[in-house]
Amino acid sequence: MSAAKVKMREKKMRNQPTSVQYPSTPLSVESSTQNGGDTPVTGGDVGHGPSDTHPSTERQKSSHHQSGWVRGHQKDGGSYAKEMPKYITAGGFARARAAEVSAMLKAVKKTTGSCHVFAALPKHMRRRAMSHNTKRLPHRLREVANRMRQKSLQAGSKKKKEQAKNKSRKARRRHGNLLLEFNRRQRKNVWLETHIWHAKRFHMVKKWGYCLGDRPTYKCYRPCYRAMSTHCLLQDLSYYCCIELQGEEDKLLAALSQLTSKETGPTFAAALCISGRRQGSVVIYRAGCYPSQPLGPVTFLWRPRTQGSSHRQLWIWAHPTIKQDLLPELQRVCQCCEAVVPPVVPVVTPAEVAPTPEPELKPQKTHGAIQIPRTKRKRNCKDASGPPAKKILGDGSRSPTTPVTWRSSSTGIVINDLTMEIVRYRLIGPQSHSVLAETLEAATACEEMNKSQPSPLWWPEHCKDESKMKLHQQQADIFHILKDIYSTGELPSGAVLGLAVDDPRLTLPTKKVKALPCVKQAQEVDEEKRRELMLRGVPEHCCQSFLWEQSVRDNVTDNKISEQELNRMRSDVLVPGSRLSPTPLQGRVPILLVHQPGKQVGHEMSSWGAGWDLLLPKGWGMAFWIPLVYRGVRIGGLNMSLKHSQNKGAPNFPHDYPDCPAGIDFQEEQEAELLDKFKRRPPAKRTNYIKHGCLAPFRCPWQQLAEEWELIAREGGEEQKRDSQTQTTTDADTVMEEAMTSHTAVTKPQSRFTVLRSRKSLRLLSGWCRPTTSKGQRPSRAGEVPPLDSSAMTSFLTEHGMSLVWVRLSLLSKGKPELHAMVFVPSTEDLKLLSNKSDSSGPQELAHKNHFKSRMKRRKKGSKKTATSSLSSDKTEGKGSDLPSASEPNLTTSSEDPKSFSESSTDLILGLWPDPLPSITSHCSRVTLGWVTQGDFSLSAGCGEALGFVSVAGLVNTLLNQPKEHRGILLLRNPTSLHYRFAKINIEV
């Protein structure tokens, strides 16, 4: 028997008596000790014969080898004898039996960890319910079971907390418990008001502190494109953060001018100069840091002026990733250092809480209250002193002591954080105005109303003022004119319309209908009004809305009619399905309609993707969402926002802003996600990017690209002016070899790359590209752009040498661009191939040699005999070492140092280049210009289109060396392919 089995047997039998053995030899002192299990007895106690005193060793051994009954495995293979003893000692035998009985009783009464009281019951009486309910046990065992239960609870409370008991499904689905669970799940990621609707139909992702819908569970790529092109696509953009600024107009413009630049386009002040336009978009920079350190794009909306007052109100809509950097900059330029902490007010439970649950206002205080219903089935009276907070509308994830208002004592500017205070929906498509006209109706006046008594509601007080009702009637007339307009793109961009509408739930249709334009034979007066609206836009005084007022927004949110009350009112109507008459006083909502222009760059597909933004007070999200869905709109998520920007040819944030902090973080997260996905596949089933000549398939090293092209332009500028593209490649190789061999030569300034956003420079660069007419583009008019020569290139690169430019690439033949596809400079032979064969698909890249694979095999064979013992000791030293020379294409790792490569090869991933990367521009047979950030087959253009960035220095150098008939032709190659595709570059301003 092994030692482990012996220990196990001893552990099991430690409470059992010693086995009784009956040897064949006469009883002796030793045998009596074994038989009786007691101390040896003297000779006077029992009489023995002469032959029974001391048996010899041979007789003991022979007795063990006799045949007989064997109990268990004996150490020497012996057995027990069959013969019974001839003599027995009464006293010793009785004592031995008494010890056995006491040991058995002790073993039965002792309870171990694996034993329970109900084990003493017969099998037909044992039940699982007895383990937690002692009342099911017999009376004789209940006391012991209760003591054991108390002992186990005391021991468990010291080691670990009591496990939570799950409620039944019926209890979990109760309204209060369901909302408490929703609040708990929103502590890390905030839910929008339409979250539950999206969660049932969309794939949800957790981004930027929110839980957002990414894409629907059904196929929708082409239907969503058709909706954006012919009907309407609806999106929920309530996760955008709204920041409100109030103060004098000149002080606001003076402060905001420090964050923007006139070179990039219209600023905050430019929107005030355009008649009928109160909104726009602009790129925000850190104060005084243009063109470096951008924060990202924002959209803004000005409140119309009031007569005789210079006080203005501004809303700035920013992406959630910009808010943490934008707020400190606004506080610094506006000198708003005084934080106003709001007073802690008691929680007010709104009328409707079911469709839009939000996180609790005090998560640190309600944490214990949420644990109580999970650990107990019933709430005690002392725990139910106050009703739990079911839902707080708005950004309830913030603590009540967190300041949301900042004031400036010197400038008088006030900054308010209105995050999650305003619901924002975006309708994209030519029939967006038709959907709004079918869904919304202008608010009806309160006819039967006592004007002498004040009303707690905002609309009755509003109806008492005749000037306000006159303005409301003018806004309603303009809204009715929208029904007669055929397409949303016919309206001027940037129009804003304020309006008060009835509760859209009152006119909800019984089934889904598709809203279509109502084009009818109108009178001449209506035709004139329609033409004036299409030419001049919405008048300034009609842009007013009570949505700007905080008190009105709170009043509308608090007095909203609940679904239960609304259904009760519907049941009292005589004709089922008819509208409630009169309209309830609390059923009026102030809204804002902001027109969003479509595609404004280029000459094809003008105004594609135009639509409206619908701004609502918080708490009314689902009340407007369901009526809009019932008008036949298509719902889109984050994925459709990306496709919308691709078809418009506009950069999407944060995907296409590599110089912003949010864009840098996004690229790092995307690289980690793609790399993890790449590692999950086996090496034989994934792409070998080293053989494809792709250095960075999961990221775009923009900084290295800009630095290398700056070196090329600095060292070989004069030679590249007259040499061919082949000579350009040779120059790039020589320059980068010197830079990689001698680290002292690469002493670059600490300047970081920037994205070219100057409108003047972009127009000049766009004219040099000379757009073709093959894709519906008109050629640039002669005489507007100065010619491209050596002096013009030198002066242009002096200012924008370390810059990247946003470009759109259209494939001239078949092909589908992919993410992180590479953009190359075509050689002279490639351009001849294009001129000879108009339908040429492009050249081929020769497969690269995988140096790392052969080196790894060689080192493995050589180090099997020498480095097996030393690897274990040197592994800790080699983990932190970098790859000094194995990363270069010219691998100089010699065979006399096998340990260094074996240690460095452990960090390599088969098929990927390790860091640091070699020369990017001269790695392939064609010179690299940039990468693609968005690429797909464009349904609007009918060909493959890609959006990305290229180096300004490389693009200008390429355009200078290309012939005029082929200027602007580049090569595009996907990371998983060796085939080059011809593409036409477009820079649209």
Side-chain angles (χ1 to χ4, degrees), residues 805-975:
V805 60
W806 169 262
V807 297
R808 181 169 62 92
L809 298 167
S810 301
L811 297 183
L812 301 182
S813 61
K814 62 181 182 179
K816 176 185 174 182
E818 296 178 358
L819 180 65
H820 297 158
M822 297 163 284
V823 184
F824 297 93
V825 179
S827 61
T828 308
E829 291 77 9
D830 298 337
L831 297 178
K832 291 180 180 179
L833 181 65
L834 180 62
S835 60
N836 294 337
K837 298 179 181 180
S838 59
D839 196 17
S840 175
S841 57
Q844 288 276 349
E845 172 77 11
L846 297 178
H848 292 226
K849 183 180 179 182
N850 190 355
H851 303 274
F852 299 98
K853 187 175 182 180
S854 59
R855 297 273 180 169
M856 289 171 66
K857 289 183 178 180
R858 204 178 308 162
R859 293 293 179 262
K860 283 182 180 179
K861 292 180 181 179
S863 61
K864 277 183 179 180
K865 299 179 182 179
T866 58
T868 51
S869 59
S870 59
L871 275 177
S872 59
S873 61
D874 298 337
K875 189 176 292 184
T876 57
E877 302 175 2
K879 276 185 178 180
S881 62
D882 295 330
L883 302 174
S885 59
S887 60
E888 299 180 8
N890 202 6
L891 295 177
T892 57
T893 308
S894 56
S895 58
E896 60 264 20
D897 191 10
K899 291 184 182 181
S900 61
F901 189 84
S902 61
E903 293 168 358
S904 62
S905 62
T906 57
D907 298 333
L908 295 178
I909 301 175
L910 188 62
L912 293 179
W913 277 86
D915 290 332
L917 298 178
S919 173
I920 294 176
T921 54
S922 60
H923 181 68
C924 298
S925 60
R926 276 80 175 173
V927 184
T928 306
L929 268 183
W931 287 276
V932 170
T933 57
Q934 301 178 31
D936 201 352
F937 183 84
S938 176
L939 297 175
S940 59
C943 64
E945 283 194 349
L947 303 173
F949 293 92
V950 297
S951 173
V952 172
L955 180 61
V956 174
N957 187 20
T958 301
L959 296 176
L960 181 64
N961 295 325
Q962 282 184 341
K964 292 184 177 180
E965 61 273 10
H966 290 145
R967 183 171 290 180
I969 300 297
L970 300 178
L971 292 176
L972 192 71
R973 182 163 67 87
N974 290 330

Side-chain angles (χ1 to χ4, degrees), residues 63 128 227 295 369 373 446 538 548 552 575 603 660 681 781 870 915 963:
S63 64
R128 282 184 296 176
L295 298 181
C446 299
V538 181
W548 293 93
V552 175
V575 181
H603 301 283
C660 298
R681 299 180 64 88
R781 288 174 286 181
S870 59
D915 290 332

Side-chain angles (χ1 to χ4, degrees), residues 76 142 343 395 527 831 946:
D76 51 357
R142 287 183 188 177
D395 190 6
E527 187 66 27
L831 297 178

Side-chain angles (χ1 to χ4, degrees), residues 169-360:
R169 187 181 186 277
K170 183 179 180 181
R172 293 196 309 266
R173 299 302 295 178
R174 289 195 186 103
H175 188 66
N177 295 336
L178 195 63
L179 291 176
L180 286 175
E181 179 67 14
F182 288 164
N183 294 336
R184 183 192 64 82
R185 290 162 59 183
Q186 295 179 73
R187 291 175 185 168
K188 293 184 178 179
N189 300 280
V190 181
W191 288 4
L192 304 183
E193 296 190 7
T194 58
H195 171 83
I196 297 179
W197 191 94
H198 279 90
K200 295 178 180 179
R201 300 164 179 87
F202 274 67
H203 295 282
M204 308 301 291
V205 294
K206 296 178 180 178
K207 281 188 175 182
W208 315 311
Y210 295 88
C211 195
L212 306 175
D214 184 38
R215 63 191 187 280
T217 54
Y218 49 85
K219 296 181 179 179
C220 70
Y221 178 71
R222 289 180 180 271
C224 285
Y225 173 76
R226 285 195 298 267
M228 289 187 289
S229 301
T230 60
H231 195 246
C232 182
L233 181 80
L234 178 62
Q235 291 178 318
D236 189 358
L237 302 184
S238 301
Y239 59 89
Y240 272 78
C241 303
C242 181
I243 301 174
E244 182 185 58
L245 277 74
Q246 297 182 17
E248 300 295 329
E249 181 177 337
D250 53 347
K251 295 181 180 179
L252 283 176
L253 294 178
L256 295 175
S257 62
Q258 306 177 36
L259 305 177
T260 58
S261 175
K262 295 181 180 180
E263 298 182 6
T264 60
T267 60
F268 291 96
L272 296 176
C273 302
I274 304 175
S275 177
R277 179 169 180 173
R278 297 292 173 266
Q279 62 97 19
S281 60
V282 67
V283 178
I284 294 291
Y285 294 84
R286 295 192 183 275
C289 295
Y290 174 80
S292 61
Q293 300 185 19
L295 298 181
V298 298
T299 58
F300 59 90
L301 178 62
W302 286 98
R303 184 176 183 177
R305 295 184 180 94
T306 56
Q307 295 181 358
S309 176
S310 60
H311 188 271
R312 298 304 301 267
Q313 193 171 352
L314 173 67
W315 282 349
I316 298 178
W317 300 88
H319 197 269
T321 55
I322 310 178
K323 178 184 173 182
Q324 57 184 356
D325 298 327
L326 179 60
L327 261 178
E329 289 295 322
L330 289 175
Q331 295 171 14
R332 187 158 63 92
V333 298
C334 297
Q335 303 177 12
C336 295
C337 303
E338 302 176 5
V340 180
V341 180
V344 180
V345 296
V347 178
V348 178
T349 305
E352 178 171 350
V353 291
T356 57
E358 293 295 334
E360 289 184 310

